[in-house]
Amino acid sequence: MPNPKNRLKVIKGLFDLCADAPVNERDTLLASSDATPEEQHEVKRLLTLHNTVDSNAQQTHIIGQQLRALSQSMPAGQMLGPFAIEEEIGQGGMGIVFRARRADGNYEQHVAIKIAPSFASADELQHFHQERQILARLQHPNIATLLDGGATDDCRPYLVMEYVAGKAIHEHCLAHQLGLKARLHLFIEVCKAVSYAHNHLIIHRDIKPENVLVTSQEQVKLLDFGIGKALQGEADRTNATALRGMTLAYASPEQIRGERTTMSTDVYGLGALLYCLLTGHSPHGLDNNSAEQAVEAICRTETTAPSRAQVDTGGIEDRRSLRGDLDNIVSKALRKEPDRRYASVSELQRDIERYLNREPVLATPPSFVYRAGRLIARHPAASALAAAVVIAINLGLAASLYLADQLRTERDSLLDAQREIKRQMYTAERTTALLTDMFEAASPARAQSRTVSVDKVLEDGARKIRETLDNDPAVKSQLLKSLAQLNYNVGKYHDAATLQQEALQQLETAARLQTGLRVTEAAHMRAELLIGLGRYQRESGAVNGAAAALEEASTLLEQYPDKRLQAQALHRKGQLISRVGSPDEAIEVLNTAKHIWQQMPDQGGALGLANSHSLSNAYFNKPDFPMAAETESVVLAERIKLLGESHPDTLNSYRFVARSYMRVGRWQEARELAQRAYQVSGKIFSTENKIFRHSAITYARLLGRLGDFQAAAEVLNPFLTGEVRELETTAELYHHRGYFNLNLGHLAQARADLEKAVDILGKIYPHNSDSTFLPRANLGEAMAVTGDAASGIELINQVKQENIVQYGADDYGVASWNLRLARIALHTGKLQEASELNQLSRSINLKTFSHDHPIVLQNDETEMRIALAQGDTLTAIELCKRLIETYEGIFPRDAPIIGRLQKLLRNMRNPV
């Protein structure tokens, strides 16, 4: 009797051959094949089906038939490793799932086993293996855990997963008649699972109710990463492949069109899932076989709001509870354009939490009435009492005051307008005079053959302003503010902060003298100065002062609102939090600012783009490198259009995209962008300018990653000659030059540089700030290799514990500190300890980075050097060859690290 598995392969292969051939040639192909009459009959039946149903339904039905045939070939009791098959519990285009139990007698355990179909193509098998790699990286209470894996007797791969005894989330809600709040709490748990996957650079791409189970203990489990995608350098599959794996009813527009999928694709999937939980059906009411309807509905038809949608069994019957915020949240998640959806799953999750807490949500346009309504909802009793008092007072006064107020308003408006025109004209005249004097001072006639520097011009300008205009402090304040901005632009952050504080003092004097400034106008001028002061102090390292200035500005703007200034204050606050606090908190603040900018006609222009630029930086710190690269790429394109390619802000974006590309493995593009930012910045700025410094650091880091430590150090040397100010950027320069010198073997210089870096940062940040982690750990390694091993190890362990407290034990930073400890153990001859620490580092790194990422390759190189130290030259040679091949696949061929490893390989093969 023929093997049913082999028979299925023959039928599938012959069907594929005939389906692609002209109809008049199919009989000839069938007759000339080795298939039996029964197999040929089955092929003819499938071809008939192929010609009579629509293009997507035919694949669905044919695959379904094959899977049913396959399921019969895996009978109950059949063993796969230590597990005995019990029954089939699910099937789809990417495999079939069985419930099984452990039968080796060790302990009782039920599992789910997913087996690849016997007819799977090479591409489908590749993605089955990818699912195993994805699941191995994900350890989360809301994600089904991978337990084991293997292959059947006929070489079909299978996965052994945690068995989840539960119902699909929509069925669970129906069975337990859950209310709105309970459903939203379940949805939040799904968001946490997806957000965790995104943090590990994985997108799911098939979020639907059937892939979210809820146990009897109300625990949510996300299943099936069969068409999931790792974000580090992996291209999307073809549209045809993706369509076979995904569920059309919950697919995003970009999936339907075969475009690139990103984290925003999962935001759409979560929006579709939420829609189902609220209404009982998918956003467009489609079944999986309606391909043409799906393309039209998903890509072009606007989704009916949940509160107006027809409710199926299992949806929320009270439609009024869905109006407003929930309609807006779902609408934002289901936008056709990915960049108009929530920026991240965490942002969607937080909006749901805000809704549950009766707080304003980002998806609803802000207004006084809306925010007041949310406040009243949170505090109904107090709000009712306050309203009653206000109404009673205002009704008594309104009639008598109305007419007088109208007359006063018209009179005051005319007088204010006259005063403002005069003040602006006078300010313009004084500014013109100041600028004329400043530039005349630099003219050849006045300079008398002396070279007049920019610093000298700015110092003279500040002196003249300070010595004049004492009788007009409001104008003096404006001129000091302009000069502060000029100093900031050339990198003189301390001077900028000093001038801005003087501007604030002059404004206070003007207010005391009652020089004609209205209260609201004076408040807005003060808020603007405080926002600028917060920015300058942050850049100069005065973090506490910056926080205080921004807090005062925010308080003023609550009393005297101004949307543009409020967005600026939130932006600067988000930047500060990103540097000294939680990236998630910074992202939330910056997204709030972004929402305000988006309400403006120009979306904030250059200021709105600066906010998105800071948002990209916060994502990088999170670390969400793909989102950082995606966000900054959009900013770069917009800045080129708005500002030009050589504008300082555009150069900053080139640098930011470059460093994000380094993290996701796009090395050639990263090198081109980083080199451009560095070279153009050098033509525009002095070595004290922050943009030039950061561009140099990014370019040097890239050169260091490619293995050219000498060139990297030479890039930084010009910034650290002569008198060097103790700025944060100075600390970064010393830190990176110290690291490069450490790798070059210049140990004394390396330790000196790293000690300076840590000393400067210690004056700026708290001792446990993550901004100090890397410099302190590198200093620890330098101390160890220069004879102070105990102190160096103690310092690295201290950093490691602080990292664990802030970000958890599986953070990739912890892996970095373990690697340094491994290298120290290798240096001191403790080879077993070195091997254990290196393996621990690798296991943590692989939760964030792919096997071929340079950060993981550092573990491979350390393993090679440990093998060499143990005298295992053959293993070291094999590891070295593998490293060279991997680097050649990801780096440009001229990367020095490749040449260095090739030289090492030759020396190992032919020792002197």
Side-chain angles (χ1 to χ4, degrees), residues 223-260:
L223 312 177
D224 198 357
F225 281 79
I227 65 167
K229 171 191 166 193
L231 285 171
Q232 289 178 288
E234 179 194 325
D236 279 353
R237 291 173 290 157
T238 64
N239 189 33
T241 305
L243 283 173
R244 282 204 299 274
M246 71 186 175
T247 304
L248 291 179
Y250 293 88
S252 67
E254 59 268 26
Q255 285 176 292
I256 294 293
R257 292 191 292 261
E259 297 171 352
R260 178 173 174 263

Side-chain angles (χ1 to χ4, degrees), residues 19 75 106 213 272 315 371 376 392 394 408 476 677 764 808 821 826 830:
N106 286 337
L213 299 187
R371 292 187 177 276
I376 291 169
N394 284 332
R408 277 197 304 271
K476 191 170 186 175
I764 299 173
L821 292 170
L826 173 60
K830 300 175 182 178

Side-chain angles (χ1 to χ4, degrees), residues 376-446:
I376 291 169
R378 293 198 301 277
H379 309 289
S383 299
L385 179 60
V389 174
V390 170
I391 290 170
I393 294 172
N394 284 332
L395 284 176
L397 294 175
S400 60
L401 295 178
Y402 177 74
L403 183 59
D405 185 63
Q406 287 293 101
L407 292 171
R408 277 197 304 271
T409 299
E410 291 182 10
R411 181 199 66 191
D412 291 346
S413 295
L414 288 172
L415 293 174
D416 287 345
Q418 290 174 352
R419 282 195 295 267
E420 179 63 17
I421 290 170
K422 289 180 180 179
R423 191 175 66 81
Q424 293 288 358
M425 289 177 62
Y426 183 62
T427 303
E429 290 172 0
R430 297 299 308 184
T431 303
T432 302
L434 171 69
L435 292 174
T436 301
D437 285 348
M438 288 172 64
F439 284 110
E440 280 186 359
S443 67
R446 294 274 296 274

